[in-house]
Amino acid sequence: MSAEPDPKPVLLVLASTYPRWRDDPEPGFVHELCKRLVARFRVIAVVPDAPGADPSGVLDGVEVVRYRYAPRALETLVNAGGIAVNLKRSPWKWLLVPGFVLGQYRAAWWILRRARAVAIHAHWLLPQGLVALRLARVFAVPYVVTSHGGDLFGLRGRLPAALKRRVAAGCAGMTVVSTAMRDEVTRLQLCPPLVDVLPMGVDLRGRFVPDPEQSRDSDELLFVGRLVAKKGLRHLLDALPGILAVRPTVRLTIAGFGPEQPALQDQVKRLGIAASVTFAGATPQRALPALYRRAAVFVAPFVRDATGNQEGLPVALMEAIGCGCPVVVGNVAGVRDLLGAAADAISVDPRDPRALAAAILASLQDPAVAAQRALALRAAAIGRIDWSHIAAGYADFIAQTCRVAA
């Protein structure tokens, strides 16, 4: 914690996925929002510890408090796939859940005893929303909750549904990252007092920008993301032999890591495409723009997985568009907010390998049209998803719903 507390109103942020250190390859969108909210709030983020993580301290103006929830070597509930994926893959990790939830509640409780917060911002309905609900009752402080997709579309069953309804009913307001998710809020009868569509943002003015000096590799396909089912990478691998039959020089670069990697590597060997596929592993944020600027096509074969989980509005897709990279995406509902009228031309059912291959080949074979479409997407996106716009939207939403003079 800082030696001289910031005089601005205190915003307590609860999250699970959060950078363990600067330039962590794990998704960093919560921190990217937090560091922009410090212009209007004293932001204190309560997040789980992890092996190798930095100690609690100030990162980009955000006071980051990391709480312990198990012996450090076992603090593996969040990273390398996310909570839901890790629980499915390793059922013994359910034993970590009580400590995870209680640890976050206890850490936040101590902070609220010392620093009176004007609002709590909980990222994800479960479990952070539940922690915020309890804290709100104890300290009479309002909270807003943001759903990022997996917590809304996944986590099925009567008990999770009932808990999500309680969190939504108790909040001052709720945000979701796509209009498809707002429709899902209605379908699930969550009934928050107010729900607004506010995606996460991307730095489209500084980091994720086109580079006219960088020429694109005419045969490189790029995938960026966690190696989990909803990202749909296995469907891209199924389509790759059909692409190689027409264009043998095509190569696929996979920038990401996750629990499906061994199975995906086995699939590559089974399909006989190992010479055309590179698993680049975990890639830090600073290295991503160069990948997006170099690739001929960014392929995001999103699907709704067996648990019902799917993407809300994927950050990697926004980053690729920011760099002017042509894209082909899976036709999950959330991406239409970003793609608009272009969705019909560049989204496809990735479970159909022929359709996916045809869409990718169409982009590869007419790069001028693909580039023109990509730049049009970027021009439409910059006024809607650049962080300057998104952070202001979140600050206003929190201030208005929680009656904060910020």
Side-chain angles (χ1 to χ4, degrees), residues 33-362:
L33 174 58
C34 286
K35 77 180 188 182
R36 289 169 172 86
L37 292 178
V38 298
R40 290 174 65 175
F41 298 95
R42 175 188 170 194
V43 181
I44 305 175
V46 180
V47 300
D49 188 34
D54 288 342
S56 297
V58 178
L59 179 63
D60 299 322
V62 181
E63 299 173 46
V64 181
V65 177
R66 302 185 191 275
Y67 68 91
R68 299 290 299 274
Y69 62 93
R72 203 172 199 212
L74 298 180
E75 290 179 329
T76 56
L77 186 58
V78 175
N79 304 109
I83 294 176
V85 170
N86 285 328
L87 289 174
K88 182 178 179 181
R89 184 185 182 206
S90 303
W92 71 265
K93 292 188 179 182
W94 279 102
L95 298 173
L96 299 174
V97 172
F100 183 88
V101 176
L102 291 173
Q104 188 164 54
Y105 175 80
R106 183 174 63 179
W109 187 91
W110 278 110
I111 290 169
L112 291 175
R113 283 286 302 271
R114 299 193 299 272
R116 175 66 179 174
V118 295
I120 300 170
H121 188 184
H123 288 267
W124 293 281
L125 286 157
L126 301 176
Q128 281 72 36
L130 279 178
V131 174
L133 174 65
R134 180 60 182 168
L135 291 169
R137 291 175 176 175
V138 172
F139 292 96
V141 57
Y143 70 93
V144 298
V145 61
T146 294
S147 173
H148 294 279
D151 53 337
L152 185 67
F153 291 118
L155 301 175
R156 300 292 181 172
R158 290 184 180 180
L159 179 58
L163 293 175
K164 285 189 276 191
R165 283 194 291 270
R166 289 182 63 188
V167 170
C171 72
M174 178 178 178
T175 68
V176 292
V177 300
S178 70
T179 54
M181 291 178 62
R182 183 171 58 190
D183 295 340
E184 187 75 355
V185 167
T186 301
R187 192 188 73 79
L188 295 175
Q189 300 180 324
L190 297 190
C191 303
L194 176 67
V195 60
D196 199 1
V197 178
L198 278 172
M200 292 292 98
V202 173
D203 180 2
L204 298 183
R205 301 180 189 275
R207 174 175 286 181
F208 295 100
V209 297
D211 181 359
E213 301 298 321
Q214 170 72 57
S215 59
R216 294 196 174 276
D217 186 316
S218 61
D219 287 310
E220 183 179 17
L221 307 180
L222 175 65
F223 171 94
V224 175
R226 284 176 168 174
L227 305 186
V228 295
K230 69 178 180 179
K231 302 293 187 179
L233 178 56
R234 68 185 182 91
H235 303 295
L236 174 55
L237 296 179
D238 281 338
L240 196 54
I243 296 170
L244 291 169
V246 176
R247 201 173 174 110
T249 52
V250 164
R251 304 174 314 285
L252 170 62
T253 298
I254 299 168
F257 62 101
E260 288 204 337
Q261 182 164 335
L264 293 167
Q265 289 173 323
D266 287 344
Q267 181 184 1
V268 166
K269 293 177 183 177
R270 187 172 66 252
L271 292 171
I273 55 176
S276 303
V277 178
T278 299
F279 286 86
T283 305
Q285 280 283 307
R286 57 181 165 74
L288 289 177
L291 294 181
Y292 294 130
R293 292 167 187 153
R294 187 184 71 201
V297 184
F298 173 77
V299 187
F302 306 129
V303 295
R304 190 163 189 164
D305 70 20
T307 69
N309 193 358
Q310 68 181 55
E311 291 291 341
L313 187 57
V315 172
L317 176 59
M318 296 190 285
E319 293 171 347
I321 287 173
C323 291
C325 185
V327 298
V328 171
V329 304
N331 57 356
V332 293
V335 302
R336 288 191 169 266
D337 284 8
L338 185 61
L339 302 181
D344 291 335
I346 58 179
S347 62
V348 65
D349 181 0
R351 292 186 171 94
D352 181 344
R354 291 184 179 179
L356 181 56
I360 293 169
L361 284 168

